[in-house]
Structure formats: C-alpha cells, structure tokens
Amino acid sequence: KAGVTQTPRYLIKTRGQQVTLSCSPISGHRSVSWYQQTPGQGLQFLFEYFSETQRNKGNFPGRFSGRQFSNSRSEMNVSTLELGDSALYLCASSLVGSLDYGYTFGSGTRLTVV
Amino acid sequence: QQPVQSPQAVILREGEDAVINCSSSKALYSVHWYRQKHGEAPVFLMILLKGGEQKGHEKISASFNEKKQQSSLYLTASQLSYSGTYFCGTEGSGAQKLVFGQGTRLTINP
C-alpha cells in the first residue's frame, strides 16, 4: 500500500511569505500529526488532526496552522515566515486516532527560509 | 516535557551490542522507538505499552520500567544496517501525541 505522501519535498521561501504543505496519509489512517525537525530542537510536535478536528496543538505561535479534509488529507500553513522556520516538516499518520501501532512518517518537506 | 535519551552517540563495530536509554519525568502510557537514517523519514521500530504489552515488527528488543518511567532499547549483534539516529517518543495517558527525545546517533563500523 502507498505510504504517507508529502508535497512538495523541497521549498525555498523568502522571509515574510507564507507557505502551505500537504500530507496524504496511508489509506485508512484517519489521524494526521505534524512535527518540525531541526538539528537544535529535534522533533517538535506541531498539531494533530483526527476526523477533521484538531485534537492537540504544540507550543508554536499562531502563524502555524493546519487543517484536515474529509478524505483525511491534511495541510499545514505557516504565515509570515521567519528564518527560524527553516526545518524539515514531517507528517505522520496513525490508525483510527490511536498510537498503539505507531506512526508512519512521510519523507518530509524541507523548508528553507531566506 | 521532553524525555532524556542516553547516550547521545555510540560508535560500534559490527556484531557488538548497544543499549539506548530513554527517561521521562512524567507518567507514561507508552514508549515508542523509531530509527531515522540520514535524509530519510523516521521508521517505527517498537511500542511498549503500560502494562507490559509490546508491539513491533523488527528483531530488536526493548523494556519499559513503569515505576521509573524508563525504557531501554537493546540492539544485539549489530549490523551495518542498524546505523542511524534512534528516537524514543513518549505518550502520556490520553495524550494522542508523542514527545520525542533528542535522539541517539548510532554508527556501526565494519
């Protein structure tokens, strides 16, 4: 079966711009979580969606937002980009909103802000 | 709060054993272990649930001490393919999210 698909794989944006990242989970997975990965901070939780509802949110500013569609695909948006937003953004899907079988991660979107 | 992993880095020769530890200050429902190779996505290795149930799909073992909120990942007779960064992720009861440790970089040399 197809894995978790994230698009685009790479992005270069200018400070002040906004960006939208997309994630298609594994078929049948209804929960989608987003993480930011940087060398200094490691994997930081952004938010989690289940059945189009945000159930959890991490400690990120309001510039970071997301949503989930009825087909479980998810998008995250970052507005007014800052240099510090440069990171690998990982999407992870899981079965039925339970983590008992772990996450399946996508390959990520590498965002560079210049 | 972020769990603490130790050691931060390990260098082994092929065939040697390694233990990676993960410690949390919070009561945990589960501990997950993932491996990430350079330029790739993290891959799920194993989950340890409160109460002792363990789920995974690779030949790697782990333990979970609920009293101490600590988990250890055991890699025996390491292979070159075991190289990568290992992350533990912890889940509190009802949290539905993982908090990851800083990672342990494992290098296996021939």
Side-chain angles (χ1 to χ4, degrees), chain A residues 42-54:
Chain A
L43 284 154
Q44 299 289 311
F45 175 78
L46 282 156
F47 25 66
E48 184 252 353
Y49 287 88
F50 177 71
S51 292
E52 302 178 65
T53 300
Q54 185 183 87

Side-chain angles (χ1 to χ4, degrees), chain A:
Chain A
K1 57 181 177 182
V4 178
T5 303
Q6 289 189 248
T7 56
R9 288 294 309 274
Y10 302 93
L11 268 178
I12 299 176
K13 290 286 188 177
T14 305
R15 268 184 304 175
Q17 287 186 312
Q18 77 165 22
V19 67
T20 299
L21 312 181
S22 178
C23 171
S24 293
I26 288 176
S27 177
H29 284 199
R30 291 166 56 195
S31 173
V32 173
S33 299
W34 288 88
Y35 285 84
Q36 181 195 65
Q37 186 175 30
T38 59
Q41 298 297 318
L43 284 154
Q44 299 289 311
F45 175 78
L46 282 156
F47 25 66
E48 184 252 353
Y49 287 88
F50 177 71
S51 292
E52 302 178 65
T53 300
Q54 185 183 87
R55 292 196 302 184
N56 273 299
K57 191 177 191 310
N59 296 323
F60 279 81
R63 300 185 296 108
F64 291 81
S65 62
R67 59 178 175 169
Q68 187 180 34
F69 302 95
S70 58
N71 61 358
S72 295
R73 189 177 72 85
S74 178
E75 289 182 347
M76 68 163 281
N77 184 77
V78 188
S79 62
T80 320
L81 284 165
E82 301 177 359
L83 295 178
D85 297 333
S86 294
L88 179 66
Y89 289 87
L90 291 164
C91 162
S93 73
S94 55
L95 270 173
V96 199
S98 164
L99 293 181
D100 284 4
Y101 293 90
Y103 282 141
T104 301
F105 281 92
S107 296
T109 294
R110 184 163 296 281
L111 172 65
T112 302
V113 183
V114 298

Side-chain angles (χ1 to χ4, degrees), chain B residues 49-68:
Chain B
L49 301 171
K50 185 178 178 180
E53 189 177 1
Q54 176 178 304
K55 301 182 191 219
H57 60 277
E58 285 208 13
K59 295 180 181 178
I60 294 173
S61 63
S63 64
F64 178 22
N65 185 325
E66 294 176 36
K67 287 184 180 178
K68 294 185 177 181

